[in-house]
Amino acid sequence: MRDGGEAFLIVSSQGDSTFPVYRIEGDEHVYLGRFAVVAAGDVDGVHGTDGLDAWSGPIGGFPNGLLAIHDDQEDSGPNQQNYKFVDWREVRRALNF
């Protein structure tokens, strides 16, 4: 993912359903922290993810980018899966960078 002049690597950690984030600085990867997608209102959190995709720059109502994250265990019923959309600004705000 690119944001301005910076590049980021967002990793899917299946074991604990979190997403570590690294800033790419040349050959180095600087760990910035990890986040989880938790339930909010009628939307459940992300559990057992198989991965994510990230878009840099504006897309729809997300002016700084968007993450589409696979959710393997949808709470609405057995054997249901879906995707959660996460605003890149919220990731930056949560990890304070």
Side-chain angles (χ1 to χ4, degrees):
M1 166 133 210
R2 297 202 177 277
D3 186 356
E6 297 179 304
F8 298 90
L9 173 64
I10 307 144
V11 181
S12 174
S13 177
Q14 291 179 318
D16 62 1
S17 299
T18 64
F19 303 90
V21 178
Y22 298 84
R23 183 175 27 250
I24 300 169
E25 297 178 358
D27 292 336
E28 301 295 319
H29 295 79
V30 178
Y31 178 72
L32 300 174
R34 65 179 52 226
F35 68 94
V37 179
V38 298
D42 293 336
V43 179
D44 68 323
V46 170
H47 308 286
T49 183
D50 282 334
L52 63 95
D53 201 351
W55 289 269
S56 298
I59 181 170
F62 304 92
N64 295 93
L66 170 70
L67 306 178
I69 301 175
H70 173 257
D71 182 9
D72 188 50
Q73 298 176 22
E74 173 61 28
D75 288 348
S76 65
N79 302 317
Q80 297 295 310
Q81 300 179 13
N82 65 13
Y83 292 86
K84 304 298 192 292
F85 294 148
V86 177
D87 191 318
W88 177 242
R89 295 174 298 179
E90 291 298 320
V91 174
R92 288 189 71 114
R93 194 173 1 260
L95 298 181
N96 198 31
F97 67 88

